């Protein structure tokens, strides 16, 4: 799952290294438009629908937070 998340993030913002353990939002690697693109890509790739109530920065600030959100939405780790 981690590799797929990194691949999707890299497609959205190829200028950043998402393998680093950083807060993607705080470091300016992702903005609100990027998060919407990320949600769309995750929904399409994993065949899920992330609820609008789950779209807030804390769920998209790291690989682990994104993975936890996917697990919450029924994706097996």
């Amino acid at each position: 799952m981690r590799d797929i998340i990194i691949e999707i993030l890299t497609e959205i913002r190829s200028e950043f290294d998402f393998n680093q353990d950083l807060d993607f939002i705080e470091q300016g690697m992702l903005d609100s438009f990027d998060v919407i693109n990320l949600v769309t890509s995750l929904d399409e790739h994993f065949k899920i629908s992330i609820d609008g109530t789950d779209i807030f920065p804390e769920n998209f600030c790291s690989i682990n937070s994104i993975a936890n959100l996917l697990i919450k939405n029924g994706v097996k780790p």
Side-chain angles (χ1 to χ4, degrees):
M1 178 185 309
R2 178 180 174 80
D3 291 339
I4 294 168
I5 294 169
I6 291 172
E7 181 180 322
I8 292 170
L9 287 166
T10 302
E11 287 174 8
I12 293 169
R13 297 293 298 261
S14 60
E15 67 270 26
F16 294 114
D17 179 5
F18 289 99
N19 288 296
Q20 300 177 44
D21 190 24
L22 300 171
D23 183 321
F24 304 145
I25 306 293
E26 186 177 294
Q27 295 297 314
M29 297 167 75
L30 295 176
D31 61 24
S32 58
F33 185 72
D34 297 325
V35 170
I36 298 304
N37 286 332
L38 177 57
V39 168
T40 301
S41 294
L42 293 170
D43 283 354
E44 289 173 2
H45 184 84
F46 290 103
K47 312 271 189 269
I48 60 171
S49 180
I50 296 172
D51 191 82
T53 60
D54 286 328
I55 301 175
F56 53 92
E58 292 80 12
N59 282 338
F60 301 96
C61 63
S62 68
I63 299 298
N64 288 339
S65 64
I66 296 168
N68 289 335
L69 178 62
L70 293 173
I71 292 166
K72 177 183 174 188
N73 281 276
V75 177
K76 295 187 181 183

